[in-house]
Amino acid sequence: MNMLLFAATPALRMAPPVMQMREPVAPVGVSPLDPEGYSGRVEPTRGRGLDNTILVQGGSLRTWTYRSPAVEQVQVVLRTEGRPLDADVELWHGPDNTPCKMRVYCENGELRPFSCVIETPRGPNTIAIRNIGQLEFPFAANVFAENIEKPVPDITAASMTIQGGALRTYPFDPTVDSVQVLLRTDGRPLNARIELLQGPNNNKQVIELYTEDGLDRPFLCFLETIGSGNVVRVVNTAPVEFPMTASVVPYLINQNMGVYDNDVVIGGDVGW
């Protein structure tokens, strides 16, 4: 009897398992109702609306890569919060090819930040910046290819040939806030050292430069010459067979002499 009852009853089947999806969770800082938070774009880790400035800690390396051949030059700006700055800046073009490299030292990266223009023809190119200072001396680095500062129109008229092993000095008036330094060759390698002095043997900023072709990749930098007694010294560290052409001219001139209250005024009877 029981066997017949079980045979007449249809088999009971359970519903097939169904995968249940969880509610989407919005990332931190993004509203769940904001459809932009789930778009397929890649956002920078430093947040939206910020520039390309990156904090480079002591002993670390950061790179900026430009794959477009339309980028012919980039500007590099390094600054600190008042601490010394010690960095290596290199241009990488192809595997194991460094056509331009420099060593940069600044006594005060806030008062005298480092700024230069590097030629990057025939892309792709990569700018590598390494902080060779201690961990206590980070600096902010920014590399951009738009709105690059240009040399003044009369900079080529002030050019001067510096033979290998020779040096030239350029003193500036206290009204000059910054100067432009342009170094180039006739196609030969360029080895030079640029020093900003304020007082006897008091280096405020030092740049040791190497470029494999000073005609294809000339070097342009901007030096802050705040205060009095500023002298720019350019040394050709290459042999005598490798001369170079240097142009050092004022860039920004401050007409308000009263801002330098701590400077010595020569000729106190002027204006009486």
Side-chain angles (χ1 to χ4, degrees):
M1 183 66 180
N2 293 334
M3 295 297 296
L4 296 176
L5 180 61
F6 282 113
T9 303
L12 298 178
R13 294 185 179 180
M14 299 181 61
V18 178
M19 181 178 295
Q20 297 181 356
M21 304 297 294
R22 293 182 54 188
E23 293 292 333
V25 179
V28 177
V30 179
S31 175
L33 301 179
D34 184 11
E36 188 178 355
Y38 298 99
S39 60
R41 300 178 303 172
V42 178
E43 295 289 346
T45 57
R46 296 180 300 278
R48 304 177 185 177
L50 300 179
D51 56 5
N52 294 327
T53 302
I54 295 180
L55 185 65
V56 183
Q57 300 291 342
S60 61
L61 171 68
R62 294 294 182 270
T63 60
W64 286 257
T65 301
Y66 296 90
R67 298 183 178 181
S68 174
V71 178
E72 296 289 337
Q73 55 183 195
V74 298
Q75 186 166 354
V76 178
V77 179
L78 308 179
R79 65 177 66 247
T80 67
E81 295 181 350
R83 302 186 181 187
L85 186 151
D86 200 356
D88 273 340
V89 181
E90 296 181 351
L91 172 64
W92 295 347
H93 182 72
D96 297 332
N97 182 23
T98 308
C100 179
K101 58 183 177 181
M102 65 194 76
R103 169 79 178 272
V104 180
Y105 167 78
C106 298
E107 182 186 62
N108 189 331
E110 181 181 17
L111 188 61
R112 296 178 179 85
F114 171 74
S115 177
C116 75
V117 177
I118 300 178
E119 300 292 332
T120 59
R122 299 176 300 278
N125 293 272
T126 297
I127 303 295
I129 300 177
R130 184 186 302 273
N131 188 346
I132 58 178
Q134 301 297 324
L135 186 62
E136 296 82 5
F137 302 102
F139 62 77
N142 190 9
V143 181
F144 51 91
E146 298 178 353
N147 301 324
I148 297 177
E149 296 181 82
K150 302 297 183 181
V152 295
D154 57 345
I155 192 171
T156 56
S159 61
M160 178 182 298
T161 301
I162 303 178
Q163 301 293 337
L167 62 88
R168 294 290 184 272
T169 57
Y170 305 84
F172 288 95
D173 192 78
T175 58
V176 179
D177 280 349
S178 64
V179 299
Q180 285 186 347
V181 180
L182 176 62
L183 304 181
R184 59 186 186 275
T185 65
D186 57 355
R188 306 181 190 187
L190 173 62
N191 287 273
R193 185 172 70 249
I194 305 171
E195 301 177 359
L196 175 61
L197 306 175
Q198 194 175 28
N201 296 325
N202 186 10
N203 290 327
K204 297 298 183 179
Q205 189 169 351
V206 180
I207 304 171
E208 296 181 357
L209 171 69
Y210 164 76
T211 301
E212 69 175 7
D213 190 338
L215 180 63
D216 192 25
R217 303 177 188 273
F219 178 74
L220 175 66
C221 68
F222 308 88
L223 303 179
E224 301 291 334
T225 57
I226 301 176
S228 60
N230 291 281
V231 177
V232 176
R233 180 166 60 186
V234 181
V235 184
N236 188 347
T237 57
V240 70
E241 296 85 3
F242 301 94
M244 70 177 183
T245 302
S247 301
V248 183
V249 297
Y251 183 46
L252 296 179
I253 299 178
N254 188 359
Q255 303 296 338
N256 300 323
M257 291 295 298
V259 297
Y260 304 111
D261 297 331
N262 297 328
D263 289 346
V264 177
V265 179
I266 301 176
D269 57 347
V270 176
W272 290 87

